[in-house]
Structure formats: C-alpha cells, structure tokens
Amino acid sequence: MSDADAAGKAAADAQAALAAMQAERDEARAQIAEHARTSAITAAAGEKANAALLLDSAKFQAAVKDVDLTDQAALGAAVESFVKDNPAYAAGPAAPALPNTSGGTPAGGTTTKPTTLAGALAAAMSD
C-alpha cells in the first residue's frame, strides 16, 4: 500500500469516527434536553397538576411548545392555564390510606408460628 493510499484510508477512518462521535453527541444532547423538559414540567406542575398526565399529553406539549422552559414563572402560568381549561389534568386528592387488614380477626383465631426449634417441637407435641 502506498503512502497516499494509507493516508486516504486513515482520513476515511477519521471521518467515520468523527461522524460516529457527532451522532453520539447529538443523542446525548437530545437526552439532556428531554430530561430538562421533563424536570421543568414536573416542577411547574407541583401540586397544581398531574405531571405524568401533562408529560404524556400531546395537547399540553403543543400548548407549551413556545414557552421557555427555564422561565419557571411562565411555565407555571402555562400549566395553570392548561389545567383551568382541562380540569382532568388537575392534581387529584391523595388516595386514602388502606387499612392493615380487610376485616376483623379470623373466626378460627390466630396462630403464631414458632420461631425456634424448641417451640416447633413443643407445638408439634401438643397437637
């Protein structure tokens, strides 16, 4: 292989590596932008709106496409306006706590499992 051929191959390899790195950079930038958008909308939603519904809504995304995501006041106002026009996106009340059991003590009483070998032997001998 001549020096010119080797130089041409090296240049082609460098161009391919550069293109791959630029594609990785662009993908990383897109991921960072998406994360920043998600974080900004989640913060702006706060207690006013259901952030998961907003993030999944094409209608909301269209409503805030021209809003500067770094301007929390403007984004918060956009969220409030959207929720006012679309109350289904409002944050709902917290779910009530569930009881520890679904009823009283079972009719047969409760049994406790022995935690030691001696306890297990004693329980087995009493049956």
Side-chain angles (χ1 to χ4, degrees), residues 73-91:
L75 189 55
V79 167
E80 284 183 31
S81 174
F82 184 80
V83 170
K84 181 180 169 193
D85 294 339
N86 303 281
Y89 291 89

Side-chain angles (χ1 to χ4, degrees), residues 19-126:
M21 290 176 144
Q22 287 173 335
E24 286 179 29
R25 178 203 60 202
D26 293 344
E27 176 64 27
R29 284 182 177 168
Q31 288 176 354
I32 290 169
E34 181 59 30
H35 177 69
R37 180 176 190 76
T38 299
S39 296
I41 290 172
T42 300
E47 300 292 320
K48 300 176 275 196
N50 184 326
L53 289 177
L54 292 178
L55 290 167
D56 198 37
S57 169
K59 188 175 181 181
F60 175 73
Q61 298 300 327
V64 296
K65 71 177 179 170
D66 296 328
V67 176
D68 179 12
L69 297 178
T70 60
D71 185 355
Q72 282 294 312
L75 189 55
V79 167
E80 284 183 31
S81 174
F82 184 80
V83 170
K84 181 180 169 193
D85 294 339
N86 303 281
Y89 291 89
L98 296 175
N100 290 336
T101 62
S102 61
T105 305
T110 60
T111 59
T112 56
K113 289 186 175 185
T115 57
T116 63
L117 180 58
L121 289 173
M125 296 298 241
S126 68

